[in-house]
């Protein structure tokens, strides 16, 4: 927090106060409770600083920034769903890249990726999304999650968490999203994936 404070010109105590009162930004924390500011979280601090400099109160500024962020999230969910409907791999990839530059990993996963996966699944159940589109979107999202997991996985000793679907479950994207969230908190996820037999899960835990 001290390094970020020097970078953005905002006292660390002020940033902690913003986080405590308004939840803005909400940096990831390690298991030991240390804050980890991503580039997006740093930009969020700058944005709040700049809005306050324009004469808004901290509460007014946070309300404005939250509304803008909500519009961005909704737009990115729509783009991912549209990519599935159109079987448009390039659109899905662009949406994921834009999302990563605009949001923290937690926000992207919780507010865009998981809602988009749910909506795509619902469209598929209703026959509005072809299985090809569902596979294209899910495949690109899983690749994105895998790369992100490699980037945020803690180095050195860390608690291992074994993640697996049930033996008859085909879908693992949500599990892989959870793995990224755990890694951001200092865990080392071992993801076994879909259709994992119980005996294999037991062996992995041993």
């Amino acid at each position: 927090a001290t390094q970020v404070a020097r970078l953005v010109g905002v006292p660390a105590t002020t940033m902690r106060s913003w986080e405590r009162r308004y939840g803005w930004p909400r940096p990831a924390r390690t298991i030991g409770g240390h804050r980890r500011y991503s580039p997006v979280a740093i930009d969020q601090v700058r944005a709040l600083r700049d809005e306050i400099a324009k004469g808004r109160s901290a509460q007014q500024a946070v309300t404005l920034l939250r509304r803008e962020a909500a519009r961005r999230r909704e737009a990115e969910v729509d783009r991912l769903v549209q990519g599935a409907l159109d079987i448009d791999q390039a659109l899905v990839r662009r949406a994921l890249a834009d999302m990563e530059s605009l949001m923290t990993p937690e926000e992207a996963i919780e507010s865009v990726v998981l809602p988009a996966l749910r909506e795509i699944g619902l469209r598929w159940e209703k026959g509005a999304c072809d299985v090809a589109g569902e596979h294209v979107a899910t495949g690109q999202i899983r690749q994105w999650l895998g790369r992100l997991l490699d980037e945020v996985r803690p180095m050195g000793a860390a608690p291992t968490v074994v993640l697996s679907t049930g033996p008859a479950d085909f879908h693992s994207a949500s599990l892989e999203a959870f793995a990224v969230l755990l890694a951001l908190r200092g865990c080392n996820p071992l993801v076994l994936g879909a259709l994992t037999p119980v005996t294999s899960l037991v062996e992995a835990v041993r």
Side-chain angles (χ1 to χ4, degrees):
T2 302
Q3 292 177 337
V4 175
R6 286 198 297 267
L7 181 65
V8 299
V10 176
T13 53
T14 300
M15 292 196 305
R16 287 193 290 268
S17 175
W18 289 344
E19 181 186 351
R20 184 176 63 255
R21 293 183 180 183
Y22 310 112
W24 186 280
R26 191 181 62 178
R29 288 178 180 263
T30 65
I31 289 178
H34 299 291
R35 292 174 177 84
R36 296 175 57 181
Y37 285 84
S38 68
V40 173
I42 293 172
D43 286 343
Q44 289 175 338
V45 174
R46 288 194 180 104
L48 180 51
R49 175 202 65 191
D50 293 346
E51 291 300 329
I52 291 173
K54 294 175 184 176
R56 293 185 173 90
S57 69
Q59 185 171 10
Q60 290 171 334
V62 169
T63 298
L64 174 66
L65 293 171
R66 285 193 187 283
R67 286 175 181 166
E68 293 177 352
R71 286 194 291 269
R72 287 195 300 269
R73 291 193 297 266
E74 291 172 2
E76 296 308 323
V77 170
D78 290 344
R79 289 176 74 195
L80 289 176
V81 173
Q82 195 61 50
L85 295 176
D86 294 344
I87 318 179
D88 189 340
Q89 178 174 259
L91 175 57
V92 175
R93 293 176 68 175
R94 288 196 303 272
L96 291 169
D98 291 345
M99 176 184 69
E100 189 171 1
S101 68
L102 293 170
M103 307 173 196
T104 63
E106 293 93 334
E107 183 183 7
I109 289 171
E110 295 172 8
S111 301
V112 178
V113 169
L114 294 179
L117 287 171
R118 283 195 293 270
E119 182 63 24
I120 291 167
L122 289 172
R123 299 286 186 98
W124 174 80
E125 287 180 358
K126 295 176 181 179
C129 179
D130 190 83
V131 67
E134 188 269 338
H135 284 182
V136 163
T138 302
Q140 289 298 316
I141 289 171
R142 291 184 63 206
Q143 287 183 35
W144 179 79
L145 289 168
R147 180 182 56 77
L148 188 57
L149 178 58
D150 287 339
E151 291 177 0
V152 302
R153 190 188 296 276
M155 303 295 290
T160 298
V161 179
V162 180
L163 300 177
S164 173
T165 68
D169 294 328
F170 288 90
H171 300 290
S172 61
S174 297
L175 193 73
E176 291 157 19
F178 185 45
V180 175
L181 298 179
L182 288 174
L184 286 165
R185 285 155 179 78
C187 294
N188 184 20
L190 175 62
V191 184
L192 303 183
L195 300 172
T196 302
V198 173
T199 52
S200 297
L201 173 58
V202 171
E203 181 62 24
V205 171
R206 285 177 179 165

